[in-house]
Amino acid sequence: MSASTRPLDRPGPGDAELPTGADGLRCWVGEDRVATVLLDRPKRRNAVTGAMWRALPDLLAGLGGRSDVRALLLTGAEGTFSAGADIAELAEVYADPASADAYHAQNVAAEEALAAFPRPTLAVVRGACVGGGCQLAVACDLRFAAEDARLGITPARLGVVYPAAPTLRLAALVGPARAKYLLFSGELVPAARAERFGLLDEVLPPAELDARARDFARLLTHRSPQTIGAVKAALSVAPDAAAAAIAPWERASRTAPDAREGLAAFLERREPSF
């Protein structure tokens, strides 16, 4: 099986698999400088356990510190992105208010670590992308999905109240009215409607999704880290703080090699080497 046809939920022969700190999470880094984080509990539709939530910040911190990681793919095993939080575990958590507070704090920490990851992140969605699983996808920079995917955020079905951070992140992505539609109803929407909402960036035939996501991630590894870092910094803060957030990147870009290399490559009609 060639790299272009290999499913994203399987590491290739040249990929280096890493410890993740939790059952149900797998991770590997390819020779193409793309890291993959896999939600891997297919018998539970890749529902996310407390141990998985707790492990994600350290896993992402480790990947973010590696010079051989220039983009990250987040996906689920065997045709499902994630059914969300493990409801059996969640029922136990909600037996005690203090444990519920701690549980939501660790969820937010995982999502914030993903949102703050220093390289581009791309959620690759097949099947159901629900609840906490959808929150993780929303915390990524971009989301590609198969045409038969379904997405929804379902706390209203459970009587659960999400913290402010993921709620505001969703509203920033799709707008307040559509965030209310998703959160009030708890309905799962088809990929085509999710794309119209702005919840998805590309919707593809299932047979084309993995190759397109892999090729796009590889494309990003050949783009300027300076430019990407600056964009992420500016768009991660409120509009009135964007100028201050991007200023250090602007100053650094005057002496960093990226602009010189990019301009020279353009004039020489070659691909830049960032």
Side-chain angles (χ1 to χ4, degrees):
M1 182 178 296
S2 70
S4 61
T5 59
R6 175 176 49 82
L8 284 182
D9 62 357
R10 299 183 201 170
D15 294 345
E17 192 150 7
L18 306 176
T20 64
D23 292 339
L25 278 178
R26 293 179 68 191
C27 176
W28 53 86
V29 177
E31 295 173 337
D32 55 6
R33 302 184 292 179
V34 176
T36 300
V37 174
L38 179 71
L39 306 175
D40 189 28
R41 297 183 73 215
K43 292 183 178 178
R44 298 288 295 170
R45 299 174 67 222
N46 301 325
V48 184
T49 66
M52 292 164 69
W53 290 115
R54 288 191 295 274
L56 275 167
D58 285 344
L59 173 62
L60 293 167
L63 290 171
R66 293 176 63 118
S67 61
D68 60 345
V69 172
R70 295 280 292 273
L72 183 144
L73 298 172
L74 175 67
T75 194
E78 298 187 19
T80 298
F81 186 81
S82 174
D86 189 307
I87 299 301
E89 185 179 77
L90 194 60
E92 294 181 9
V93 164
Y94 264 79
D96 173 22
S99 67
D101 287 345
Y103 182 86
H104 283 295
Q106 72 189 16
N107 293 13
V108 169
E111 294 157 23
E112 293 296 314
L114 186 55
F117 191 73
R119 315 285 189 270
T121 56
L122 172 61
V124 185
V125 178
R126 291 184 179 276
C129 179
V130 181
C134 197
Q135 288 176 240
L136 288 172
V138 169
C140 289
D141 295 313
L142 299 166
R143 287 147 294 280
F144 289 8
E147 290 171 338
D148 55 1
R150 296 183 304 149
L151 298 89
I153 306 179
T154 53
R157 293 187 179 191
L158 305 170
V160 171
V161 175
Y162 280 176
T167 303
L168 293 174
R169 184 176 293 116
L170 176 67
L173 181 64
V174 302
R178 284 170 170 167
K180 289 174 184 177
Y181 178 96
L182 293 165
L183 291 166
F184 287 0
S185 71
E187 287 189 345
L188 303 190
V189 299
R193 185 185 299 175
E195 186 179 29
R196 291 197 298 272
F197 279 12
L199 189 56
L200 294 173
D201 298 288
E202 289 194 18
V203 174
L204 298 123
E208 298 176 14
L209 174 63
D210 286 2
R212 170 59 178 158
R214 182 181 285 114
D215 288 347
F216 191 81
R218 288 171 174 163
L219 171 75
L220 298 181
T221 70
H222 294 283
R223 296 300 184 250
S224 164
Q226 281 285 127
T227 302
I228 290 170
V231 171
K232 291 196 69 159
L235 297 182
S236 67
V237 297
D240 60 356
I246 206 170
W249 291 92
E250 278 191 286
R251 288 193 296 272
S253 73
R254 306 301 186 251
T255 55
D258 286 31
R260 292 193 298 276
E261 168 61 13
L263 293 168
F266 182 86
L267 293 172
E268 295 165 13
R269 299 186 179 182
R270 60 173 174 83
E271 283 295 313
S273 178
F274 292 121

